């Protein structure tokens, strides 16, 4: 939205009105004296605009804020508190038992790094579970599109709730089984496969055909058989595939001493489509 | 910059002129018919503006693009190609031997997740080495400030080059020894300690006193003695500290077979300052 | 025992009588025609002697068998079935929860290797728990002495039962707290410290003073603080200390697929007393 | 050998004569007054016999000592110094580069535990390399037979040298390619496969058919493809197979600090033939 402000409807007054209506997730750019020698652009959160004085005539530009700053505090919504990367596992809505379902925070970070997204990437999260990867991907690729594909209705409900709580409306939830549910989606730059329901080879074959040049697919695997299947499938489609095994141990305080507890190791298989990203 | 465009100096003409001068790292917002019923805002890269038609009078807003989109292709500069997270280790300028110096890509991702930055965080990277953490932190905290503190002149030169190549001007390089060099910096939201030159306790004492409420410090450690010192120091300052051991194995293709090669395990100690982030 | 056999009390008859009384854990050496040109020595298990014919006069030598061969089958006692190394964790009597107490089979093997015992070594197992290390050490050092030191009466009962079941009478159970309980023991060639009840430094100080030249101490540790304390204490007594971190993942069959489950990592600190073993 | 001693050829004199001729690897059992009320058996090393007094008539039994005690010191042969388990990697003769060839000490210990040998086991070490597994297996299964199968002549030479140096004559070196070279060997109780020269499935098929009931095969693997092949082959022959991943980090002293260095992770696949060991 762009608003030409005047004496009465000043940036401060407009900001106050919006905040009164619970709207707080915009970034404001006040462009004073546009084209004049004393031209100035002020970037601000809405709450910081209140009370500020500007020239009489301004262009007030309001852009939806994909990664709200912490000044949204007091809104009671969690997205203001959540970091760009490193949301704690327990902050996500998820089915029980939590341990078995969610890709752990540390593994998520490595997987997101392997996906090598850009801010406008098209991302698929297949077998999205609670949507933890989709949510964090959307915070990184904040001008892109993220599709969370999940066939389990209870998990879909979790994803929807997480999308709201973490303020990532660019995540589109697709309740479908892969690979069938993928046909309607735009070709991806980055694909994460967190669950495959025994259809891993089918899914990867589909993904290999759809990835854009220079795009990446990252498959998270817990079993030896799927690890092997992922490697074979990717290579049969001409992809160079690499494996990264991630073994994490987290400390637990036991009687004042720091004991290390291991998470189960995870294999990440990364494939990259040859060619240069357009 | 905000420009009031007219018939002759249209957005297309202005964009073309800028590109001719090698300026390509701005995002353009063309605000047509501001305040009118047919108001429209178009967001674009400069290269996509060329040839587009708009109304006669527009406000053309140019904002420096902290995370340039890939349409900067052809510029020959690497920032257009680099992902938001997951820059390959070998893409950084660094002193030899590279293995001994750089925090490896996977560990970097986990450390950045532990730092729990927001887009406007103030970040210190102490003992910054080649600046790999500072660069990736700056891509995440793209509206924040990142200070790369490093005492070794050769490393400082690497950081400066990486800052230019990866297009993260919000990284400020501080050639100084910690903790002395920290006194002039604004209080941080997130601190990464990658090297301490045997002054770990001093540095952490300083950091503990400077971190903002809710802020985090993450220390990367390779030795048992420093691991212990980091835990003791953080706790003596009232910080709850946790340890994460990250053990990564990467595949290497050997005669068509996929062999796993271990990276040395790294301990990440994370401390969080009590209180709520403002 | 050495027995001069004759026509009626032949090796076969004697072996049968012993087996009838449940004695089966001796190795028999039948020395025929000692000193004669047709001298012959037959080594055998008791059960294999039954029915065999020998010369009329023999020296039948019976030596207690520290590592009974599998021909003790049918005796219903587990030592005949147990391997020399690699007894399954669940074969040991132990208090619940088993996971928290026993040194896991794989870690035990590495620790025993680090102890570098000889067959006649004097071994201390301090904080012996269920005695799993003592039992396996006794199978290796089968002509030596093994002392299992444990202060918890319930654990002591477990050790006694394991000593009987695994047929290692050379293990002596010492119900005492370390280091006090160590003073009456002969100086050791090899010391394993599996538990220290917060008295690690005291125990290691005592051990460092008692170890024979060339002897080894191996400390199993789960916490960062104790790891550091063990290193500092050993070094302060002039021992070169090395750390081995053992991270094991075991497969579990989940719906026909092979999933890896991590055991918690264990630190083994090994110290060696300078000098040559006599 | 059994010797009837008399006044002049006393145990002491005989022992001294043997030692003068360089024979020191026998255990001596002096059986005094056999059958008398003052019967006594003394077990000793040869060197300890010298100077000891006994009754006039004794049976002196000399048994070859498979695991010589350290009193063989001064003989200049390494077997006297080598531990039963835990021989350092660098003590083995091996081709360069050592790192790539030898199964590391810690992994060897875990593999030997998984083999669950008894003292009289028949063991095959296939792709024996430097023979490190064969040597340590022979020290455990000291009354058994160990076959080291290796096709590479240079490696065979290493094995022969290691067999001599570590005093394990019960290791028989078989210069042949597996599985062809296995046909002449007795059926095994325990099989270690350390190298397979791309014929893993053939070798395991052969081993599965030859293992005695209750016997074990342990395959050491570094690649994902071979891990998968081993699992598939074992299962297709009705074996339950388990995987153990062994990840070891060893400390290295760097400027007085204790840094952890990772060895590459190794997969051990263990299969057990159903049935009870005879």
């Amino acid at each position: 939205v762009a608003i030409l402000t005047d004496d009465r409807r000043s940036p401060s007054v407009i900001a106050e009105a919006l905040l009164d209506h619970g709207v707080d997730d915009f970034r404001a750019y006040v462009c004073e004296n546009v084209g004049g020698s004393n031209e100035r652009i002020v970037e601000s959160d809405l709450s910081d605009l209140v009370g500020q004085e500007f020239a009489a005539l301004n262009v007030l530009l309001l852009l939806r804020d994909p990664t709200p700053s912490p000044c949204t505090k007091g809104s009671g919504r969690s997205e203001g508190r959540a970091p760009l990367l490193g949301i704690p596992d327990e902050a996500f809505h998820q089915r029980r038992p939590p341990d078995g379902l969610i890709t752990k925070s540390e593994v998520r970070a490595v997987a997101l790094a392997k996906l090598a997204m850009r801010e406008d990437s098209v991302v698929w999260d297949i077998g999205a579970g609670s949507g933890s990867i989709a949510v964090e991907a959307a915070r990184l690729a904040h001008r892109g599109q993220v599709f969370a594909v999940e066939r389990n209705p209870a998990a879909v409900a979790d994803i929807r709730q997480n999308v709201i709580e973490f303020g990532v409306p660019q995540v589109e939830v697709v309740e479908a089984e892969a690979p069938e549910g993928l046909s309607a989606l735009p070709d991806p730059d980055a694909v994460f496969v967190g669950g495959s329901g025994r259809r891993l080879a089918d899914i990867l074959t589909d993904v290999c055909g759809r990835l854009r040049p220079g795009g990446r697919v990252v498959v998270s695997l817990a079993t030896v058989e799927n690890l092997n299947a992922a490697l074979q499938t990717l290579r049969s489609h001409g992809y160079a595939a690499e494996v990264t095994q991630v073994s994490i141990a987290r400390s637990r305080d036991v009687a004042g001493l720091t004991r290390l507890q291991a998470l189960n190791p995870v294999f990440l298989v990364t494939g990259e489509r040859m060619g240069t990203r357009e």
Side-chain angles (χ1 to χ4, degrees), chain A:
Chain A
V1 190
I3 301 169
L4 210 48
T5 64
D6 59 24
D7 276 2
R8 285 179 40 215
R9 280 160 301 194
S10 71
S12 169
V13 166
I14 292 168
E16 205 164 3
L18 288 169
L19 290 168
D20 282 350
H21 287 81
V23 177
D24 62 358
D25 51 347
F26 282 87
R27 291 204 66 73
Y29 299 87
V30 183
C31 313
E32 281 183 300
N33 306 312
V34 174
S37 61
N38 50 352
E39 180 188 293
R40 186 172 71 121
I41 301 182
V42 172
E43 183 184 352
S44 171
D45 293 294
L46 284 185
S47 56
D48 289 346
L49 273 192
V50 178
Q52 280 198 55
E53 302 217 350
F54 294 95
L57 292 182
N58 305 285
V59 176
L60 170 61
L61 198 68
L62 299 175
L63 294 173
R64 191 155 205 114
D65 195 352
T67 49
S69 79
C71 28
T72 57
K73 69 174 177 295
S75 71
R77 288 154 71 186
S78 60
E79 74 265 40
R81 308 241 70 84
L84 281 168
L85 184 71
I87 299 175
D89 297 341
E90 60 275 14
F92 289 100
H93 286 264
Q94 52 184 314
R95 290 162 295 161
R96 308 208 155 271
D99 282 20
L101 293 172
I102 202 168
T103 303
K104 295 292 189 298
S105 172
E106 295 88 349
V107 177
R108 226 156 51 222
V110 177
L112 290 166
K114 298 285 177 196
L115 284 172
M117 293 175 291
R118 285 155 181 93
E119 61 176 9
D120 62 351
S121 290
V122 174
V123 183
W124 297 355
D125 180 6
I126 301 178
S130 65
S132 63
I133 287 276
V135 164
E136 290 204 328
R139 295 189 150 240
L140 294 174
H142 58 89
R143 297 198 297 115
Q145 285 177 286
V146 178
F147 299 91
V149 182
E150 173 59 51
R151 62 179 184 181
N152 182 304
V156 165
D158 286 337
I159 303 172
R160 290 195 204 282
Q161 198 139 10
N162 286 323
V163 162
I164 291 169
E165 298 229 351
F166 291 103
V168 280
Q170 71 270 45
V171 174
E172 186 172 315
V173 188
V174 180
E175 183 171 345
E177 180 155 333
E180 289 77 16
L182 306 172
S183 58
L185 307 184
D187 287 350
D189 299 297
V191 177
F192 180 78
V193 183
S196 60
R198 306 237 156 197
R199 300 190 61 190
L200 184 57
D202 285 353
I203 290 170
L204 288 182
T205 295
D206 193 276
V207 167
C208 285
R210 299 286 304 283
L211 261 185
R212 296 180 181 173
R216 295 260 190 114
V217 54
V218 174
V219 192
S220 173
L221 299 156
T223 72
V224 173
E225 290 81 3
N226 283 340
L227 168 60
N228 200 61
L231 281 173
Q232 301 309 326
T233 306
L234 288 174
R235 286 171 181 164
S236 73
H237 289 89
Y239 280 66
E242 59 160 49
V243 182
T244 309
Q245 187 177 23
V246 184
S247 301
I248 299 289
R250 292 174 176 173
S251 63
R252 212 184 91 195
D253 197 87
V254 177
L257 299 176
T258 308
R259 180 184 288 271
L260 292 179
Q261 291 195 306
L263 303 183
N264 291 334
V266 173
F267 296 105
L268 298 177
V269 174
T270 305
E272 181 166 343
R273 176 150 205 173
M274 275 178 291
T276 309
R277 197 167 182 274
E278 288 163 30

